[in-house]
Amino acid sequence: MKKIISAVMMSLAVALLSGCDTHTSPTGRNQTLLFSDTDMAQMGQASFTRMKQNLPINRNPALNAYVDCITSRLLEALPQASGQHWEVVVFDSPQVNAFALPGGYIGIYTGMLRVANTPDELAAVIGHEIAHVLSSHGNEQASRSEMKNWGLKAIDWALDMGEVEHRDMVMAALGLGAEVGISLPFGRDQETEADIIGLQLMARAGFNPQAAIALWQNMARVSGRQPLEILSTHPSHDSRIEDLSAQQSQAQAIYLKARTNSLPVCRLP
């Protein structure tokens, strides 16, 4: 038992030492980022290139103009709007999904357009995904994964040196603990943060933030039964709707100011 405790203490020391280099997210949350912006942009570009090679791309002019209109308004509302170029691709896939990658790459699956029924609802989706990039969530996840691997390797070494019985069972249990105790709750924090930042972004772009609530009500209807929130990387639909509702007062004030501007009308195809 003492040997197991020593191994666990060593893993905790490794985790603490690895987490010393911290940054602050847009909402003030501490982050550990091990990779440079250049590294992340290169990874984003490589991933997006592979997706364009392996997934069918939608070429419908009206549909692409609709998505581009919404995305352009969101990007123009960014504080650093004069910065990087973003590439937007609509993929032909029934998946109800969308994503944004470091380096400025946005993908929308046509399946999402069956759930995000209005321009404002689609703006909530795309704004949320852009918020992940603005908040360096990809870097954060890659860094957490790297640190988890370091920690598990240190534990494995300690168990080996200590000749601990049932080593494989201990490592399996620790692997599950690291996944549930570190990666997944952290993912929920990221999702909630992206909801808040995305809500503010869509409001600045002149899209009604109330649509974010309608979007997740739609998602709840089509997704069926969800796994327990404690074992999910995403907050439950009810939690999301509750959090978005709590943010509405501030977001609506931003929206009411922004919508008085002359904005392009994004028309459903």
Side-chain angles (χ1 to χ4, degrees), residues 73 130 134 220 228 256:
R73 280 176 52 178
I130 292 173
L134 298 179
L228 291 175
L256 291 174

Side-chain angles (χ1 to χ4, degrees), residues 33-264:
L33 307 179
L34 302 181
F35 301 94
S36 69
D37 290 343
T38 300
D39 289 338
M40 295 306 301
Q42 289 174 348
M43 285 189 270
Q45 182 183 41
S47 296
F48 203 61
T49 298
R50 285 195 298 271
M51 295 191 73
K52 290 191 293 183
Q53 292 170 345
N54 296 323
L55 289 176
I57 296 175
N58 184 282
R59 304 293 185 183
N60 182 294
L63 182 61
N64 278 269
Y66 171 65
V67 172
D68 286 343
C69 176
I70 294 170
T71 305
S72 294
R73 280 176 52 178
L74 290 166
L75 295 177
E76 288 171 4
L78 293 177
Q80 62 274 34
S82 59
Q84 71 180 32
H85 168 75
W86 291 71
E87 181 180 354
V88 184
V89 173
V90 180
F91 293 100
D92 264 324
S93 170
Q95 291 187 55
V96 180
N97 205 358
F99 64 88
L101 299 175
Y105 305 97
I106 297 172
I108 309 295
Y109 293 86
T110 50
M112 177 59 77
L113 301 176
R114 294 196 296 271
V115 178
N117 298 318
T118 69
D120 298 273
E121 290 177 10
L122 186 57
V125 173
I126 301 173
H128 172 92
E129 301 304 332
I130 292 173
H132 278 306
V133 176
L134 298 179
S135 305
S136 299
H137 288 165
N139 193 337
E140 201 172 8
Q141 285 293 80
S143 299
R144 297 291 288 193
S145 178
E146 189 74 4
M147 288 190 295
K148 184 178 75 174
N149 290 337
W150 292 346
L152 290 177
K153 287 177 182 178
I155 294 170
D156 191 34
W157 175 82
L159 293 175
D160 185 40
M161 293 296 291
E163 299 180 352
V164 174
E165 293 184 4
H166 310 299
R167 171 182 167 185
D168 291 342
M169 293 177 62
V170 172
M171 286 302 297
L174 287 171
L176 178 62
E179 187 67 21
V180 174
I182 297 176
S183 299
L184 297 187
F186 199 80
R188 290 201 297 269
D189 289 344
Q190 291 175 328
E191 289 296 328
T192 299
E193 189 168 60
D195 280 344
I196 295 171
I197 297 170
L199 192 72
Q200 294 174 354
L201 176 58
M202 69 180 292
R204 286 200 302 272
F207 294 104
N208 191 341
Q210 188 70 31
I213 296 174
L215 169 71
W216 284 104
Q217 290 170 338
N218 295 346
M219 292 287 281
R221 283 193 290 269
V222 301
S223 64
R225 185 176 180 180
Q226 285 186 291
L228 291 175
E229 185 170 358
I230 189 65
L231 295 177
S232 172
T233 58
H234 291 55
S236 70
H237 298 316
D238 288 343
S239 294
R240 255 188 158 130
I241 291 169
E242 182 179 349
D243 290 342
L244 288 167
S245 297
Q247 296 289 326
Q248 283 298 311
S249 177
Q250 181 181 0
Q252 285 292 331
I254 298 171
Y255 166 63
L256 291 174
K257 181 178 178 180
R259 71 172 185 169
T260 61
N261 300 330
S262 177
L263 296 169

